[in-house]
Amino acid sequence: MGAKAGKVLISGASFAGLSTAFWMSRLGYQVTVVEVARGLREGGTAVDIKGNTVDIVRRMGLLDQIRSNRLSLQRWELKNERDVTERSMVLRGEGEAPPDDEFEVERTVLLNMLFDAVKDHVEVVFDDSITSLSETEDRIEATFARGARRTFDLVFGCDGVHSAVRRLCFGEEARYIHFLEQYFSITIVDKLLIERNTAQMFNVPGKAVMLNAYKNNTDIIFAFASDKEFPYDRRDEEAQRRIIADQFAGVGWRTAELLQEVRSSKSFYFDKLCQVRMPSWTKGRVALVGDAGYCPSPAAGMGGSLAIDGAAALADAMREHGRDFALAFRAYNERFRPFIEQVQAEAVRTGLESLVPRTEEAIRARNARTDSSF
């Protein structure tokens, strides 16, 4: 497109935002990324890179770095209250090389790879956010929380499930967020609570406790079913910790010990399991990428990779249609949607039922299976 393709504003400096920044810069756009946090939002569970995403990160020049930083989960163990393994799923034997078409990498490591790939080519503004957007025939004006006003040719909302860009341009999030009747928390501790390269899970009806150990870290994940949504302050972390403590009080296995780890850890994230479903991810000069437009829920295990996939799908459409962003946006919507709908349907159909079974009979049936999948 050349160096004068125009100016784009990207809200969010996570996988979707940084991947979109990478491709828009390659297409010749002058790119500004604005992130409400004071720095990169590090932490979170590992990211799976497989299928089409492997080809995309290869195109981005990141595959060798991902390969050298890959994790190697070897075994899943399903535990009972006495800490007896009722079912063990061996993903690969001792000394067996992991497949070369599927990679798991720490979220923080991958996020920093993406940031390093764009930081010298785009403007990144931390500790600020978009408060209003006003579109005219040939531009879109953004007002920022710190008071600045700037004009751009295009705006991309890459700011997650609770996207501010989506709210400003498409309406309140309640119109698009579909509650999947579960809540979850993630805590990462800097020590091994189980054997390295192993994951464990314990269930009682409607509740799950999961551990994932890699390098010298352990992810602690709590999840519980709830037929109805309940109100909570997304900015009150201590109140969210109390929700988890109340929900899992008296639950067996190692739960009391793990709740103490959650209480003392600085790392904590809590939210409802949900999907974002929209009839269109674009409107005028605005497009949504990643969780902002099509969050599949953590049950899919693909949030990070879908963000990378979506940024590439948008960029490919814009490369094909040049400066005709309307045609590019239409192609993005039409071509990428079947894949998104498939992933979201699969997350509801299998991911939720397997991870948090609602009855003792369902837990027993899952734990008695002899194949290598949930």
Side-chain angles (χ1 to χ4, degrees):
M1 285 186 189
K4 296 183 178 180
K7 298 180 180 180
V8 300
L9 171 63
I10 296 170
S11 177
S14 191
F15 294 130
L18 296 177
S19 298
T20 301
F22 176 91
W23 292 115
M24 293 304 116
S25 177
R26 286 289 184 93
L27 290 175
Y29 285 94
Q30 183 178 333
V31 179
T32 298
V33 180
V34 60
E35 166 58 52
V36 66
R38 295 181 178 180
L40 294 177
R41 297 184 191 227
E42 298 183 337
T45 56
V47 180
D48 284 330
I49 303 295
K50 57 186 178 182
N52 185 58
T53 318
V54 176
D55 293 329
I56 293 170
V57 296
R58 182 184 289 111
R59 287 166 55 193
M60 298 174 77
L62 299 177
L63 184 57
D64 287 343
Q65 291 182 68
I66 289 171
R67 182 181 285 110
S68 64
N69 285 277
R70 75 187 312 175
L71 303 176
S72 183
L73 182 63
Q74 295 177 339
R75 187 171 66 255
W76 261 101
E77 297 175 341
L78 303 184
K79 294 287 189 174
N80 65 18
E81 189 165 311
R82 301 183 304 280
D83 200 31
V84 174
T85 300
E86 294 193 342
R87 180 181 170 201
S88 181
M89 291 168 282
V90 177
L91 306 182
R92 60 188 57 90
E94 192 69 35
E96 181 182 349
D100 206 41
D101 59 353
E102 183 174 336
F103 304 86
E104 186 179 32
V105 63
E106 289 172 88
R107 183 184 178 280
T108 294
V109 170
L110 182 57
L111 189 64
N112 278 282
M113 283 184 203
L114 289 167
F115 183 69
D116 288 344
V118 303
K119 65 182 181 182
D120 295 331
H121 309 287
V122 309
E123 176 190 16
V124 182
V125 180
F126 289 108
D127 197 22
D128 206 351
S129 60
I130 303 168
T131 56
S132 70
L133 291 167
S134 178
E135 185 171 340
T136 64
E137 184 177 345
D138 60 355
R139 65 179 184 175
I140 185 165
E141 182 179 80
T143 303
F144 296 89
R146 290 186 171 275
R149 289 186 178 182
R150 296 172 61 181
T151 59
F152 299 88
D153 294 277
L154 301 170
V155 172
F156 300 121
C158 305
D159 41 357
V161 172
H162 306 293
S163 168
V165 170
R166 188 186 62 227
R167 175 176 49 80
L168 291 170
C169 297
F170 297 82
E172 291 300 319
E173 72 174 39
R175 296 170 56 185
Y176 306 111
I177 289 188
H178 296 258
F179 178 51
L180 298 181
E181 299 186 349
Q182 289 185 23
Y183 288 87
F184 71 101
S185 74
I186 301 170
T187 299
I188 302 175
V189 295
D190 298 327
K191 56 185 172 181
L192 291 172
L193 299 177
I194 58 176
E195 186 179 347
R196 185 183 284 110
N197 298 327
T198 301
Q200 295 181 353
M201 181 158 62
F202 168 73
N203 290 90
V204 296
K207 299 181 193 292
V209 184
M210 289 171 267
L211 298 174
N212 180 30
Y214 52 93
K215 295 186 177 179
N216 290 311
N217 302 322
T218 306
D219 298 340
I220 304 172
I221 302 169
F222 287 97
F224 64 91
S226 176
D227 291 333
K228 296 181 180 179
E229 293 187 65
F230 54 83
Y232 66 92
D233 186 345
R234 288 197 293 112
R235 295 168 181 81
D236 190 341
E237 189 174 290
E238 287 309 308
Q240 295 164 26
R241 291 176 194 259
R242 288 194 296 272
I243 291 171
I244 291 296
D246 291 345
Q247 284 287 332
F248 286 86
V251 173
W253 191 48
R254 300 174 60 180
T255 301
E257 166 201 348
L258 298 176
L259 287 174
Q260 182 58 46
E261 294 285 356
V262 170
R263 279 191 289 271
S264 59
S265 176
K266 294 181 180 179
S267 165
F268 183 81
Y269 177 81
F270 175 86
D271 207 345
K272 61 187 176 184
L273 247 68
C274 62
Q275 289 186 341
V276 176
R277 304 174 195 158
M278 303 182 68
S280 175
W281 307 317
T282 63
K283 184 177 181 182
R285 292 177 173 271
V286 177
L288 304 176
V289 181
D291 282 353
Y294 34 83
C295 172
S297 90
M302 295 182 63
S305 61
L306 281 187
I308 295 170
D309 291 356
L314 174 63
D316 289 344
M318 294 187 67
R319 183 180 295 106
E320 178 181 345
H321 292 286
R323 292 183 60 83
D324 193 336
F325 70 87
L327 281 179
F329 285 4
R330 185 185 308 166
Y332 169 55
N333 269 291
E334 292 175 354
R335 295 174 187 171
F336 197 51
R337 185 169 298 275
F339 178 55
I340 292 296
E341 291 178 347
Q342 177 185 347
V343 170
Q344 290 188 330
E346 187 65 23
V348 172
R349 184 166 54 249
T350 61
L352 297 178
E353 296 174 0
S354 297
L355 295 175
V356 190
R358 295 239 182 172
T359 66
E360 189 65 35
E361 291 77 13
I363 295 171
R364 300 275 72 79
R366 184 204 62 194
N367 290 3
R369 289 172 57 180
T370 58
D371 59 10
S372 60
S373 66
F374 279 107

